[in-house]
Amino acid sequence: GAGVSQSPRYKVAKRGQDVALRCDPISGHVSLFWYQQALGQGPEFLTYFQNEAQLDKSGLPSDRFFAERPEGSVSTLKIQRTQQEDSAVYLCASSPEATGFFNQPQHFGDGTRLSIL
Amino acid sequence: KQEVTQIPAALSVPEGENLVLNCSFTDSAIYNLQWFRQDPGKGLTSLLLIQSSQREQTSGRLNASLDKSSGRSTLYIAASQPGDSATYLCAVRPVSGGNKLVFGAGTILRVKS
């Protein structure tokens, strides 16, 4: 596709369930980012991939959050044993930039709205 | 720790007005600053990217300026239209931890017809 694609668009889960969120970046984009956006706030960084390597996971709020990008394209963000405070919009972004070149814009998908009941 | 603040939090203007949105950041060591637009239920659309060595960028009715030393950026929208109604987000790419964007909370803009 032409842009970053995320699925599902909406996800409702019961507290304690595991969820998996998918991101298809723009074809050829080397860098991939995950952000969490709470209602009425700006997005907050979660983690960053350069191809298949997860180079920064400093923003992951707990060890219940896990992200992977095994073949350097599609990425999955997994949240285990979900809690109500995990309710947010999860945004994925991609960029063509390589390591050390932080001069390219990040292109965002429409996000997955996660609601934990 | 880099912090980004946007003022005002919300703004309502009549159609046709020129307006300015403000963004400030606490650490001037940045690679670039990016302005985004977010429509309800949607992701972020990049509007303008200003590199740290630049002073401004223009795209159509939008003009963004950057004063890195004072930690400020403004987004100027000329001749506003109802279709400009959205949330506008400012984000900086810090030198320390350049893998991420650090966002402000946004300005909710409503342009009345």
Side-chain angles (χ1 to χ4, degrees), chain A residues 9-10 33 35 37 40-43 45 48 55-56 58 91 97 102-106 108-111 113, chain B residues 31-32 34 36 38 40-46 49 51 89 93 97-106:
Chain A
R9 286 297 319 281
Y10 304 93
F33 309 82
Y35 292 84
Q37 186 175 24
Q41 300 297 315
F45 172 81
Y48 161 68
L55 299 185
D56 187 348
S58 61
L91 295 165
E97 69 191 21
F102 301 121
N103 60 354
Q104 297 294 319
Q106 295 184 14
F108 283 78
D110 283 344
R113 185 175 298 275
Chain B
Y31 288 112
N32 52 54
Q34 199 166 352
F36 294 89
Q38 186 172 33
K42 295 290 188 179
L44 280 63
T45 300
S46 180
L49 174 72
Q51 303 296 348
L89 292 157
R93 197 81 181 265
N99 297 321
K100 67 188 75 168
L101 291 174
V102 179
F103 284 85

mmCIF file of all heavy atoms in Angstrom, chain A residues 9-10 33 35 37 40-43 45 48 55-56 58 91 97 102-106 108-111 113, chain B residues 31-32 34 36 38 40-46 49 51 89 93 97-106:
data_model
loop_
_atom_site.group_PDB
_atom_site.id
_atom_site.type_symbol
_atom_site.label_atom_id
_atom_site.label_comp_id
_atom_site.label_asym_id
_atom_site.label_seq_id
_atom_site.Cartn_x
_atom_site.Cartn_y
_atom_site.Cartn_z
ATOM 1 N N ARG A 9 -8.247 -1.883 13.460
ATOM 2 C CA ARG A 9 -8.466 -0.474 13.773
ATOM 3 C C ARG A 9 -8.963 -0.307 15.193
ATOM 4 O O ARG A 9 -8.625 0.659 15.867
ATOM 5 C CB ARG A 9 -9.478 0.132 12.804
ATOM 6 C CG ARG A 9 -8.951 0.394 11.395
ATOM 7 C CD ARG A 9 -7.812 1.412 11.355
ATOM 8 N NE ARG A 9 -7.978 2.563 12.221
ATOM 9 C CZ ARG A 9 -8.731 3.615 11.953
ATOM 10 N NH1 ARG A 9 -9.392 3.684 10.822
ATOM 11 N NH2 ARG A 9 -8.820 4.628 12.811
ATOM 12 N N TYR A 10 -9.782 -1.258 15.629
ATOM 13 C CA TYR A 10 -10.332 -1.220 16.977
ATOM 14 C C TYR A 10 -10.178 -2.608 17.598
ATOM 15 O O TYR A 10 -10.346 -3.622 16.920
ATOM 16 C CB TYR A 10 -11.815 -0.829 16.968
ATOM 17 C CG TYR A 10 -12.092 0.482 16.283
ATOM 18 C CD1 TYR A 10 -12.425 0.526 14.931
ATOM 19 C CD2 TYR A 10 -11.999 1.682 16.981
ATOM 20 C CE1 TYR A 10 -12.664 1.737 14.299
ATOM 21 C CE2 TYR A 10 -12.240 2.894 16.353
ATOM 22 C CZ TYR A 10 -12.569 2.916 15.021
ATOM 23 O OH TYR A 10 -12.802 4.105 14.394
ATOM 24 N N PHE A 33 8.633 2.647 14.138
ATOM 25 C CA PHE A 33 8.445 3.170 15.496
ATOM 26 C C PHE A 33 7.040 2.804 15.984
ATOM 27 O O PHE A 33 6.080 2.820 15.212
ATOM 28 C CB PHE A 33 8.563 4.697 15.511
ATOM 29 C CG PHE A 33 9.804 5.229 14.836
ATOM 30 C CD1 PHE A 33 9.854 5.378 13.460
ATOM 31 C CD2 PHE A 33 10.901 5.631 15.581
ATOM 32 C CE1 PHE A 33 10.983 5.879 12.824
ATOM 33 C CE2 PHE A 33 12.037 6.132 14.963
ATOM 34 C CZ PHE A 33 12.082 6.259 13.585
ATOM 35 N N TYR A 35 4.251 4.084 18.998
ATOM 36 C CA TYR A 35 3.913 5.116 19.968
ATOM 37 C C TYR A 35 2.577 4.758 20.630
ATOM 38 O O TYR A 35 1.739 4.094 20.030
ATOM 39 C CB TYR A 35 3.755 6.489 19.300
ATOM 40 C CG TYR A 35 5.032 7.085 18.757
ATOM 41 C CD1 TYR A 35 5.504 6.735 17.487
ATOM 42 C CD2 TYR A 35 5.772 8.018 19.494
ATOM 43 C CE1 TYR A 35 6.676 7.289 16.988
ATOM 44 C CE2 TYR A 35 6.945 8.578 18.986
ATOM 45 C CZ TYR A 35 7.383 8.200 17.734
ATOM 46 O OH TYR A 35 8.542 8.747 17.237
ATOM 47 N N GLN A 37 -0.743 6.663 22.446
ATOM 48 C CA GLN A 37 -1.387 7.954 22.615
ATOM 49 C C GLN A 37 -2.607 7.834 23.515
ATOM 50 O O GLN A 37 -3.607 7.225 23.136
ATOM 51 C CB GLN A 37 -1.793 8.557 21.259
ATOM 52 C CG GLN A 37 -2.331 9.972 21.365
ATOM 53 C CD GLN A 37 -2.627 10.610 20.022
ATOM 54 O OE1 GLN A 37 -2.858 9.927 19.032
ATOM 55 N NE2 GLN A 37 -2.619 11.936 19.962
ATOM 56 N N GLY A 40 -6.465 12.767 24.617
ATOM 57 C CA GLY A 40 -6.164 14.162 24.880
ATOM 58 C C GLY A 40 -4.694 14.487 25.032
ATOM 59 O O GLY A 40 -4.337 15.609 25.394
ATOM 60 N N GLN A 41 -3.837 13.509 24.749
ATOM 61 C CA GLN A 41 -2.395 13.715 24.886
ATOM 62 C C GLN A 41 -1.686 13.500 23.554
ATOM 63 O O GLN A 41 -2.257 12.945 22.617
ATOM 64 C CB GLN A 41 -1.820 12.738 25.923
ATOM 65 C CG GLN A 41 -2.409 12.878 27.316
ATOM 66 C CD GLN A 41 -2.115 14.240 27.911
ATOM 67 O OE1 GLN A 41 -0.988 14.743 27.831
ATOM 68 N NE2 GLN A 41 -3.126 14.857 28.511
ATOM 69 N N GLY A 42 -0.433 13.930 23.504
ATOM 70 C CA GLY A 42 0.375 13.618 22.338
ATOM 71 C C GLY A 42 0.903 12.193 22.430
ATOM 72 O O GLY A 42 0.923 11.595 23.506
ATOM 73 N N PRO A 43 1.316 11.621 21.313
ATOM 74 C CA PRO A 43 1.875 10.270 21.339
ATOM 75 C C PRO A 43 3.149 10.210 22.181
ATOM 76 O O PRO A 43 3.916 11.167 22.228
ATOM 77 C CB PRO A 43 2.180 9.982 19.868
ATOM 78 C CG PRO A 43 1.309 10.928 19.097
ATOM 79 C CD PRO A 43 1.218 12.158 19.941
ATOM 80 N N PHE A 45 6.606 7.746 22.817
ATOM 81 C CA PHE A 45 7.438 6.713 22.207
ATOM 82 C C PHE A 45 7.429 5.425 23.017
ATOM 83 O O PHE A 45 7.526 5.440 24.249
ATOM 84 C CB PHE A 45 8.869 7.247 22.095
ATOM 85 C CG PHE A 45 9.889 6.236 21.669
ATOM 86 C CD1 PHE A 45 10.041 5.909 20.329
ATOM 87 C CD2 PHE A 45 10.708 5.623 22.603
ATOM 88 C CE1 PHE A 45 11.001 4.990 19.937
ATOM 89 C CE2 PHE A 45 11.664 4.700 22.211
ATOM 90 C CZ PHE A 45 11.812 4.384 20.878
ATOM 91 N N TYR A 48 11.636 1.225 18.904
ATOM 92 C CA TYR A 48 12.162 1.577 17.583
ATOM 93 C C TYR A 48 12.919 0.392 16.993
ATOM 94 O O TYR A 48 13.691 -0.273 17.695
ATOM 95 C CB TYR A 48 13.084 2.779 17.732
ATOM 96 C CG TYR A 48 14.061 3.025 16.614
ATOM 97 C CD1 TYR A 48 13.623 3.413 15.351
ATOM 98 C CD2 TYR A 48 15.438 2.894 16.832
ATOM 99 C CE1 TYR A 48 14.525 3.662 14.338
ATOM 100 C CE2 TYR A 48 16.341 3.142 15.814
ATOM 101 C CZ TYR A 48 15.884 3.536 14.571
ATOM 102 O OH TYR A 48 16.773 3.776 13.563
ATOM 103 N N LEU A 55 16.387 -1.518 18.331
ATOM 104 C CA LEU A 55 17.510 -0.734 18.839
ATOM 105 C C LEU A 55 17.168 0.080 20.077
ATOM 106 O O LEU A 55 18.076 0.515 20.789
ATOM 107 C CB LEU A 55 18.051 0.186 17.746
ATOM 108 C CG LEU A 55 18.597 -0.503 16.490
ATOM 109 C CD1 LEU A 55 19.211 0.524 15.544
ATOM 110 C CD2 LEU A 55 19.587 -1.597 16.848
ATOM 111 N N ASP A 56 15.904 0.305 20.317
ATOM 112 C CA ASP A 56 15.514 1.124 21.464
ATOM 113 C C ASP A 56 14.150 0.655 21.933
ATOM 114 O O ASP A 56 13.189 0.710 21.163
ATOM 115 C CB ASP A 56 15.479 2.607 21.067
ATOM 116 C CG ASP A 56 15.248 3.531 22.251
ATOM 117 O OD1 ASP A 56 14.894 3.060 23.342
ATOM 118 O OD2 ASP A 56 15.411 4.756 22.079
ATOM 119 N N SER A 58 13.207 1.670 25.190
ATOM 120 C CA SER A 58 13.199 2.393 26.453
ATOM 121 C C SER A 58 11.819 2.897 26.850
ATOM 122 O O SER A 58 11.586 3.192 28.014
ATOM 123 C CB SER A 58 14.181 3.568 26.388
ATOM 124 O OG SER A 58 13.792 4.470 25.368
ATOM 125 N N LEU A 91 -0.011 3.828 17.819
ATOM 126 C CA LEU A 91 0.361 4.326 16.495
ATOM 127 C C LEU A 91 1.681 3.720 16.057
ATOM 128 O O LEU A 91 2.609 3.582 16.853
ATOM 129 C CB LEU A 91 0.499 5.850 16.525
ATOM 130 C CG LEU A 91 -0.781 6.644 16.806
ATOM 131 C CD1 LEU A 91 -0.439 8.082 17.169
ATOM 132 C CD2 LEU A 91 -1.706 6.615 15.609
ATOM 133 N N GLU A 97 14.871 6.437 6.804
ATOM 134 C CA GLU A 97 16.219 6.787 7.250
ATOM 135 C C GLU A 97 16.983 5.586 7.792
ATOM 136 O O GLU A 97 16.432 4.667 8.369
ATOM 137 C CB GLU A 97 16.152 7.858 8.327
ATOM 138 C CG GLU A 97 15.563 7.368 9.621
ATOM 139 C CD GLU A 97 15.248 8.492 10.593
ATOM 140 O OE1 GLU A 97 15.102 9.637 10.153
ATOM 141 O OE2 GLU A 97 15.149 8.221 11.792
ATOM 142 N N PHE A 102 18.940 11.264 11.234
ATOM 143 C CA PHE A 102 17.631 11.546 11.825
ATOM 144 C C PHE A 102 16.979 12.742 11.148
ATOM 145 O O PHE A 102 16.439 13.610 11.800
ATOM 146 C CB PHE A 102 17.797 11.802 13.310
ATOM 147 C CG PHE A 102 18.421 10.639 14.052
ATOM 148 C CD1 PHE A 102 19.602 10.793 14.747
ATOM 149 C CD2 PHE A 102 17.814 9.404 14.043
ATOM 150 C CE1 PHE A 102 20.173 9.733 15.432
ATOM 151 C CE2 PHE A 102 18.377 8.335 14.729
ATOM 152 C CZ PHE A 102 19.565 8.498 15.423
ATOM 153 N N ASN A 103 17.018 12.774 9.835
ATOM 154 C CA ASN A 103 16.535 13.967 9.149
ATOM 155 C C ASN A 103 15.323 13.706 8.267
ATOM 156 O O ASN A 103 14.926 14.552 7.484
ATOM 157 C CB ASN A 103 17.651 14.573 8.303
ATOM 158 C CG ASN A 103 18.166 13.587 7.249
ATOM 159 O OD1 ASN A 103 17.774 12.425 7.232
ATOM 160 N ND2 ASN A 103 19.038 14.059 6.376
ATOM 161 N N GLN A 104 14.733 12.527 8.403
ATOM 162 C CA GLN A 104 13.585 12.199 7.574
ATOM 163 C C GLN A 104 12.302 12.244 8.390
ATOM 164 O O GLN A 104 12.305 11.905 9.570
ATOM 165 C CB GLN A 104 13.749 10.800 6.973
ATOM 166 C CG GLN A 104 14.933 10.669 6.041
ATOM 167 C CD GLN A 104 14.757 11.498 4.799
ATOM 168 O OE1 GLN A 104 13.671 11.555 4.237
ATOM 169 N NE2 GLN A 104 15.819 12.168 4.383
ATOM 170 N N PRO A 105 11.203 12.641 7.770
ATOM 171 C CA PRO A 105 9.927 12.645 8.505
ATOM 172 C C PRO A 105 9.460 11.218 8.781
ATOM 173 O O PRO A 105 9.784 10.287 8.047
ATOM 174 C CB PRO A 105 8.969 13.365 7.558
ATOM 175 C CG PRO A 105 9.557 13.168 6.205
ATOM 176 C CD PRO A 105 11.045 13.141 6.396
ATOM 177 N N GLN A 106 8.717 11.097 9.848
ATOM 178 C CA GLN A 106 8.078 9.823 10.165
ATOM 179 C C GLN A 106 6.650 9.852 9.619
ATOM 180 O O GLN A 106 5.944 10.842 9.757
ATOM 181 C CB GLN A 106 8.071 9.587 11.679
ATOM 182 C CG GLN A 106 9.472 9.430 12.256
ATOM 183 C CD GLN A 106 9.490 9.096 13.724
ATOM 184 O OE1 GLN A 106 8.487 8.719 14.323
ATOM 185 N NE2 GLN A 106 10.664 9.217 14.333
ATOM 186 N N PHE A 108 2.933 8.175 9.695
ATOM 187 C CA PHE A 108 2.125 7.447 10.663
ATOM 188 C C PHE A 108 0.942 6.731 10.029
ATOM 189 O O PHE A 108 0.360 7.202 9.039
ATOM 190 C CB PHE A 108 1.594 8.414 11.720
ATOM 191 C CG PHE A 108 2.612 8.810 12.742
ATOM 192 C CD1 PHE A 108 3.579 9.758 12.449
ATOM 193 C CD2 PHE A 108 2.601 8.239 14.006
ATOM 194 C CE1 PHE A 108 4.536 10.121 13.395
ATOM 195 C CE2 PHE A 108 3.545 8.595 14.958
ATOM 196 C CZ PHE A 108 4.511 9.531 14.648
ATOM 197 N N GLY A 109 0.578 5.590 10.642
ATOM 198 C CA GLY A 109 -0.671 4.919 10.311
ATOM 199 C C GLY A 109 -1.823 5.531 11.099
ATOM 200 O O GLY A 109 -1.634 6.458 11.889
ATOM 201 N N ASP A 110 -3.035 4.994 10.869
ATOM 202 C CA ASP A 110 -4.226 5.510 11.546
ATOM 203 C C ASP A 110 -4.369 4.984 12.973
ATOM 204 O O ASP A 110 -5.241 5.437 13.713
ATOM 205 C CB ASP A 110 -5.481 5.163 10.742
ATOM 206 C CG ASP A 110 -5.649 6.067 9.529
ATOM 207 O OD1 ASP A 110 -4.977 7.123 9.483
ATOM 208 O OD2 ASP A 110 -6.435 5.723 8.632
ATOM 209 N N GLY A 111 -3.545 4.022 13.351
ATOM 210 C CA GLY A 111 -3.550 3.553 14.733
ATOM 211 C C GLY A 111 -4.536 2.439 15.011
ATOM 212 O O GLY A 111 -5.454 2.163 14.215
ATOM 213 N N ARG A 113 -7.110 1.508 18.114
ATOM 214 C CA ARG A 113 -7.705 1.984 19.364
ATOM 215 C C ARG A 113 -7.996 0.779 20.233
ATOM 216 O O ARG A 113 -8.865 -0.039 19.894
ATOM 217 C CB ARG A 113 -8.974 2.775 19.084
ATOM 218 C CG ARG A 113 -9.582 3.417 20.338
ATOM 219 C CD ARG A 113 -10.771 4.298 19.968
ATOM 220 N NE ARG A 113 -10.380 5.393 19.102
ATOM 221 C CZ ARG A 113 -9.901 6.554 19.511
ATOM 222 N NH1 ARG A 113 -9.764 6.785 20.809
ATOM 223 N NH2 ARG A 113 -9.588 7.498 18.643
ATOM 224 N N TYR B 31 17.531 17.532 16.415
ATOM 225 C CA TYR B 31 17.852 17.342 15.002
ATOM 226 C C TYR B 31 16.863 18.119 14.123
ATOM 227 O O TYR B 31 17.228 18.708 13.120
ATOM 228 C CB TYR B 31 17.793 15.861 14.630
ATOM 229 C CG TYR B 31 18.932 15.042 15.172
ATOM 230 C CD1 TYR B 31 18.705 14.084 16.150
ATOM 231 C CD2 TYR B 31 20.228 15.218 14.704
ATOM 232 C CE1 TYR B 31 19.744 13.321 16.657
ATOM 233 C CE2 TYR B 31 21.275 14.456 15.210
ATOM 234 C CZ TYR B 31 21.025 13.513 16.193
ATOM 235 O OH TYR B 31 22.059 12.760 16.692
ATOM 236 N N ASN B 32 15.610 18.045 14.488
ATOM 237 C CA ASN B 32 14.582 18.728 13.706
ATOM 238 C C ASN B 32 13.305 18.851 14.514
ATOM 239 O O ASN B 32 13.193 18.314 15.624
ATOM 240 C CB ASN B 32 14.318 17.988 12.381
ATOM 241 C CG ASN B 32 14.028 16.513 12.565
ATOM 242 O OD1 ASN B 32 13.143 16.149 13.314
ATOM 243 N ND2 ASN B 32 14.779 15.662 11.873
ATOM 244 N N GLN B 34 8.944 18.822 13.841
ATOM 245 C CA GLN B 34 7.934 18.455 12.867
ATOM 246 C C GLN B 34 6.561 18.875 13.379
ATOM 247 O O GLN B 34 6.247 18.673 14.555
ATOM 248 C CB GLN B 34 7.983 16.927 12.652
ATOM 249 C CG GLN B 34 7.355 16.414 11.387
ATOM 250 C CD GLN B 34 7.761 14.952 11.098
ATOM 251 O OE1 GLN B 34 8.609 14.376 11.764
ATOM 252 N NE2 GLN B 34 7.136 14.369 10.094
ATOM 253 N N PHE B 36 2.477 18.230 12.861
ATOM 254 C CA PHE B 36 1.534 17.234 12.369
ATOM 255 C C PHE B 36 0.110 17.744 12.532
ATOM 256 O O PHE B 36 -0.186 18.578 13.393
ATOM 257 C CB PHE B 36 1.636 15.928 13.172
ATOM 258 C CG PHE B 36 2.921 15.180 13.031
ATOM 259 C CD1 PHE B 36 3.983 15.448 13.873
ATOM 260 C CD2 PHE B 36 3.066 14.191 12.065
ATOM 261 C CE1 PHE B 36 5.173 14.746 13.764
ATOM 262 C CE2 PHE B 36 4.244 13.484 11.947
ATOM 263 C CZ PHE B 36 5.305 13.759 12.800
ATOM 264 N N GLN B 38 -3.788 16.001 13.129
ATOM 265 C CA GLN B 38 -4.488 14.766 13.468
ATOM 266 C C GLN B 38 -5.983 15.025 13.447
ATOM 267 O O GLN B 38 -6.493 15.850 14.208
ATOM 268 C CB GLN B 38 -4.063 14.233 14.840
ATOM 269 C CG GLN B 38 -4.661 12.870 15.160
ATOM 270 C CD GLN B 38 -4.082 12.256 16.424
ATOM 271 O OE1 GLN B 38 -3.729 12.958 17.365
ATOM 272 N NE2 GLN B 38 -3.960 10.924 16.446
ATOM 273 N N PRO B 40 -9.930 13.543 13.962
ATOM 274 C CA PRO B 40 -10.519 12.607 14.935
ATOM 275 C C PRO B 40 -10.502 11.171 14.431
ATOM 276 O O PRO B 40 -10.926 10.886 13.305
ATOM 277 C CB PRO B 40 -11.945 13.136 15.091
ATOM 278 C CG PRO B 40 -11.838 14.585 14.788
ATOM 279 C CD PRO B 40 -10.811 14.702 13.701
ATOM 280 N N GLY B 41 -9.990 10.275 15.250
ATOM 281 C CA GLY B 41 -9.962 8.858 14.898
ATOM 282 C C GLY B 41 -8.934 8.491 13.848
ATOM 283 O O GLY B 41 -8.947 7.364 13.335
ATOM 284 N N LYS B 42 -8.061 9.414 13.539
ATOM 285 C CA LYS B 42 -7.064 9.167 12.491
ATOM 286 C C LYS B 42 -5.650 9.252 13.045
ATOM 287 O O LYS B 42 -5.425 9.671 14.178
ATOM 288 C CB LYS B 42 -7.223 10.212 11.371
ATOM 289 C CG LYS B 42 -8.543 10.116 10.625
ATOM 290 C CD LYS B 42 -8.590 8.869 9.766
ATOM 291 C CE LYS B 42 -9.819 8.863 8.873
ATOM 292 N NZ LYS B 42 -9.868 7.660 8.004
ATOM 293 N N GLY B 43 -4.715 8.855 12.195
ATOM 294 C CA GLY B 43 -3.322 8.987 12.568
ATOM 295 C C GLY B 43 -2.817 10.396 12.316
ATOM 296 O O GLY B 43 -3.594 11.329 12.122
ATOM 297 N N LEU B 44 -1.507 10.539 12.309
ATOM 298 C CA LEU B 44 -0.886 11.849 12.155
ATOM 299 C C LEU B 44 -0.462 12.073 10.706
ATOM 300 O O LEU B 44 0.146 11.190 10.093
ATOM 301 C CB LEU B 44 0.346 11.959 13.051
ATOM 302 C CG LEU B 44 0.124 12.269 14.528
ATOM 303 C CD1 LEU B 44 -0.667 11.186 15.228
ATOM 304 C CD2 LEU B 44 1.449 12.493 15.224
ATOM 305 N N THR B 45 -0.762 13.247 10.205
ATOM 306 C CA THR B 45 -0.314 13.641 8.875
ATOM 307 C C THR B 45 0.775 14.685 9.034
ATOM 308 O O THR B 45 0.565 15.714 9.674
ATOM 309 C CB THR B 45 -1.475 14.226 8.054
ATOM 310 O OG1 THR B 45 -2.506 13.242 7.923
ATOM 311 C CG2 THR B 45 -0.996 14.656 6.677
ATOM 312 N N SER B 46 1.944 14.410 8.464
ATOM 313 C CA SER B 46 3.050 15.356 8.560
ATOM 314 C C SER B 46 2.768 16.584 7.709
ATOM 315 O O SER B 46 2.410 16.478 6.532
ATOM 316 C CB SER B 46 4.351 14.695 8.105
ATOM 317 O OG SER B 46 5.426 15.601 8.195
ATOM 318 N N LEU B 49 8.439 19.793 8.158
ATOM 319 C CA LEU B 49 9.617 19.348 8.894
ATOM 320 C C LEU B 49 10.684 20.419 8.762
ATOM 321 O O LEU B 49 11.031 20.810 7.641
ATOM 322 C CB LEU B 49 10.132 18.024 8.334
ATOM 323 C CG LEU B 49 11.451 17.501 8.906
ATOM 324 C CD1 LEU B 49 11.243 17.007 10.321
ATOM 325 C CD2 LEU B 49 12.016 16.392 8.034
ATOM 326 N N GLN B 51 14.552 21.293 9.704
ATOM 327 C CA GLN B 51 15.819 20.804 10.233
ATOM 328 C C GLN B 51 16.389 21.835 11.198
ATOM 329 O O GLN B 51 16.061 23.017 11.120
ATOM 330 C CB GLN B 51 16.801 20.533 9.091
ATOM 331 C CG GLN B 51 16.314 19.560 8.040
ATOM 332 C CD GLN B 51 16.095 18.155 8.560
ATOM 333 O OE1 GLN B 51 16.496 17.799 9.664
ATOM 334 N NE2 GLN B 51 15.433 17.320 7.761
ATOM 335 N N LEU B 89 -0.196 18.970 16.225
ATOM 336 C CA LEU B 89 0.820 18.481 17.150
ATOM 337 C C LEU B 89 2.208 18.908 16.684
ATOM 338 O O LEU B 89 2.523 18.870 15.493
ATOM 339 C CB LEU B 89 0.777 16.956 17.237
ATOM 340 C CG LEU B 89 -0.476 16.360 17.890
ATOM 341 C CD1 LEU B 89 -0.694 14.932 17.440
ATOM 342 C CD2 LEU B 89 -0.360 16.411 19.404
ATOM 343 N N ARG B 93 12.801 16.065 17.499
ATOM 344 C CA ARG B 93 13.682 14.890 17.444
ATOM 345 C C ARG B 93 14.923 15.246 18.255
ATOM 346 O O ARG B 93 15.816 15.942 17.771
ATOM 347 C CB ARG B 93 14.045 14.597 15.990
ATOM 348 C CG ARG B 93 14.606 13.206 15.733
ATOM 349 C CD ARG B 93 13.492 12.205 15.625
ATOM 350 N NE ARG B 93 13.983 10.850 15.399
ATOM 351 C CZ ARG B 93 14.099 10.276 14.220
ATOM 352 N NH1 ARG B 93 13.796 10.960 13.124
ATOM 353 N NH2 ARG B 93 14.521 9.040 14.107
ATOM 354 N N GLY B 97 18.887 10.555 22.400
ATOM 355 C CA GLY B 97 17.751 9.667 22.156
ATOM 356 C C GLY B 97 17.054 9.998 20.862
ATOM 357 O O GLY B 97 15.833 10.092 20.802
ATOM 358 N N GLY B 98 17.834 10.156 19.786
ATOM 359 C CA GLY B 98 17.267 10.623 18.526
ATOM 360 C C GLY B 98 16.388 9.628 17.810
ATOM 361 O O GLY B 98 15.897 9.902 16.726
ATOM 362 N N ASN B 99 16.199 8.453 18.412
ATOM 363 C CA ASN B 99 15.335 7.468 17.782
ATOM 364 C C ASN B 99 13.864 7.825 17.898
ATOM 365 O O ASN B 99 13.023 7.197 17.271
ATOM 366 C CB ASN B 99 15.543 6.098 18.425
ATOM 367 C CG ASN B 99 16.959 5.597 18.223
ATOM 368 O OD1 ASN B 99 17.525 5.784 17.168
ATOM 369 N ND2 ASN B 99 17.515 4.981 19.238
ATOM 370 N N LYS B 100 13.538 8.794 18.722
ATOM 371 C CA LYS B 100 12.137 9.037 19.014
ATOM 372 C C LYS B 100 11.761 10.475 18.692
ATOM 373 O O LYS B 100 12.601 11.353 18.598
ATOM 374 C CB LYS B 100 11.864 8.779 20.492
ATOM 375 C CG LYS B 100 12.551 9.763 21.423
ATOM 376 C CD LYS B 100 12.431 9.369 22.865
ATOM 377 C CE LYS B 100 13.347 8.212 23.177
ATOM 378 N NZ LYS B 100 13.475 7.956 24.629
ATOM 379 N N LEU B 101 10.465 10.683 18.527
ATOM 380 C CA LEU B 101 9.904 12.020 18.532
ATOM 381 C C LEU B 101 9.319 12.285 19.917
ATOM 382 O O LEU B 101 8.726 11.389 20.514
ATOM 383 C CB LEU B 101 8.799 12.163 17.484
ATOM 384 C CG LEU B 101 9.235 12.125 16.019
ATOM 385 C CD1 LEU B 101 8.008 12.123 15.102
ATOM 386 C CD2 LEU B 101 10.135 13.300 15.696
ATOM 387 N N VAL B 102 9.486 13.508 20.398
ATOM 388 C CA VAL B 102 8.867 13.926 21.659
ATOM 389 C C VAL B 102 7.783 14.938 21.310
ATOM 390 O O VAL B 102 8.080 15.983 20.719
ATOM 391 C CB VAL B 102 9.893 14.534 22.627
ATOM 392 C CG1 VAL B 102 9.197 14.975 23.911
ATOM 393 C CG2 VAL B 102 10.995 13.529 22.941
ATOM 394 N N PHE B 103 6.555 14.616 21.664
ATOM 395 C CA PHE B 103 5.395 15.391 21.240
ATOM 396 C C PHE B 103 4.882 16.312 22.337
ATOM 397 O O PHE B 103 4.985 16.021 23.533
ATOM 398 C CB PHE B 103 4.229 14.448 20.878
ATOM 399 C CG PHE B 103 4.368 13.760 19.562
ATOM 400 C CD1 PHE B 103 5.091 12.588 19.451
ATOM 401 C CD2 PHE B 103 3.759 14.282 18.428
ATOM 402 C CE1 PHE B 103 5.215 11.932 18.234
ATOM 403 C CE2 PHE B 103 3.873 13.639 17.208
ATOM 404 C CZ PHE B 103 4.601 12.468 17.107
ATOM 405 N N GLY B 104 4.254 17.410 21.896
ATOM 406 C CA GLY B 104 3.407 18.194 22.766
ATOM 407 C C GLY B 104 2.022 17.574 22.812
ATOM 408 O O GLY B 104 1.730 16.615 22.096
ATOM 409 N N ALA B 105 1.156 18.147 23.653
ATOM 410 C CA ALA B 105 -0.197 17.605 23.812
ATOM 411 C C ALA B 105 -1.143 18.063 22.711
ATOM 412 O O ALA B 105 -2.247 17.530 22.574
ATOM 413 C CB ALA B 105 -0.764 17.992 25.175
ATOM 414 N N GLY B 106 -0.713 19.036 21.917
ATOM 415 C CA GLY B 106 -1.521 19.454 20.785
ATOM 416 C C GLY B 106 -2.370 20.684 21.039
ATOM 417 O O GLY B 106 -2.648 21.056 22.182
#
